[in-house]
Amino acid sequence: MNPVKVCTLTALFSAFTFVQATRATAITAPPLETQVKQVTQWFTGLFDNSQQVVTNPSVPFITLSSCSVELTNADPRIGTKNIYLEQKSINRFRLYSFSQENSAVNLSIRAFDPNYSVTGLCNRPESEHTLDSSKVLATSCNLELLWEPADYIGNNSPNGCPTSSGGKVISSVTVSQNSIDSLDKIFGANGNLLFATPIEFRRVDSIPEPSLTLGILALGVWGTSKTILGKYKQKSPVK
């Protein structure tokens, strides 16, 4: 082989190896403590799926608000961040706890005592962002969130979490700085898939004020929302 060609190929290979090594170094995952802080920050705020509804009116309009909370009557767990989540029009109220576990961020999702009212918690002064730990159910649904350069990705396939109807729900979630994409696959006791609609939440700057546009949008998805809400009530997951 021509010596010039050999030198050229060697130089190109060395350059390629250097670029790959540099890239690998650049995308090294941050410490788990940093990951927990980052993903909870990205997860906190006000979101809705209005952009998704515009392109697909069969999907119900849903708002999601979340804020950092403190648990009363509980021993603090070092490195754990607790987030209260409130979702409407398909109502869902949960405590999301993010913590360090092995090489990933562990997400534990728990429901509340049915008689414990926490609606609108994130709209209250920050000093009132507290939850009574005795009102948080012990049963949890867990996911592992793996760090990627631009987001955190997790799922609990294939086992999922049990539902009140004897089936299970397998959840997938991608958390980015300004978006949360989630998919709950709900299976019946016989293993048949009952429901699986991905929801694409996007961050909004502030709590939207009632408007004609929002009213028209809500009316447009009301029928579908009511139908899906009925399914959720019949087959609501324990998580």
Side-chain angles (χ1 to χ4, degrees):
M1 180 181 289
N2 189 315
V4 175
K5 289 185 176 180
V6 172
C7 292
T8 302
L9 288 174
T10 302
L12 288 173
F13 178 75
S14 299
F16 176 76
T17 303
F18 174 77
V19 170
Q20 291 296 96
T22 303
R23 182 178 298 173
T25 302
I27 62 173
T28 299
L32 277 179
E33 181 180 2
T34 301
Q35 292 184 38
V36 170
K37 290 180 180 178
Q38 184 178 59
V39 71
T40 53
Q41 183 180 35
W42 288 358
F43 195 82
T44 302
L46 181 63
F47 302 79
D48 68 33
N49 68 330
S50 57
Q51 294 181 32
Q52 180 186 21
V53 172
V54 169
T55 58
N56 186 1
S58 65
V59 177
F61 175 68
I62 305 172
T63 62
L64 184 158
S65 60
S66 55
C67 55
S68 178
V69 293
E70 298 290 337
L71 297 181
T72 61
N73 305 316
D75 295 329
R77 294 180 58 188
I78 298 176
T80 297
K81 300 290 186 180
N82 294 306
I83 302 294
Y84 166 72
L85 177 143
E86 181 172 316
Q87 182 179 291
K88 295 181 176 183
S89 59
I90 297 178
N91 293 339
R92 187 166 174 269
F93 310 93
R94 294 291 186 271
L95 175 66
Y96 278 56
S97 298
F98 298 83
S99 61
Q100 304 175 37
E101 185 168 312
N102 299 325
S103 58
V105 175
N106 180 67
L107 170 57
S108 173
I109 306 170
R110 289 178 289 170
F112 300 101
D113 183 308
N115 297 319
Y116 185 48
S117 177
V118 287
T119 303
L121 179 65
C122 293
N123 294 326
R124 303 174 192 172
E126 189 173 346
S127 60
E128 297 180 20
H129 289 184
T130 59
L131 293 171
D132 186 345
S133 62
S134 66
K135 303 299 183 180
V136 181
L137 302 185
T139 304
S140 67
C141 184
N142 297 327
L143 294 87
E144 258 194 358
L145 298 176
L146 300 177
W147 178 88
E148 294 289 342
D151 45 41
Y152 291 84
I153 300 174
N155 69 75
N156 54 10
S157 176
N159 297 325
C161 295
T163 65
S164 57
S165 60
K168 68 178 180 180
V169 54
I170 295 178
S171 300
S172 301
V173 63
T174 299
V175 181
S176 302
Q177 186 171 8
N178 293 304
S179 65
I180 301 173
D181 293 336
S182 65
L183 171 62
D184 287 338
K185 293 183 178 180
I186 302 176
F187 297 85
N190 57 4
N192 291 337
L193 179 63
L194 303 176
F195 187 81
T197 297
I199 303 298
E200 301 171 1
F201 291 107
R202 298 294 178 263
R203 186 181 299 278
V204 295
D205 292 333
S206 59
I207 298 175
E209 295 294 334
S211 66
L212 179 61
T213 302
L214 185 59
I216 294 174
L217 179 61
L219 287 174
V221 300
W222 171 249
T224 303
S225 175
K226 188 164 60 173
T227 300
I228 296 178
L229 180 58
K231 291 182 179 180
Y232 264 81
K233 287 183 176 179
Q234 294 173 10
K235 306 178 177 70
S236 59
V238 171
K239 71 163 195 163

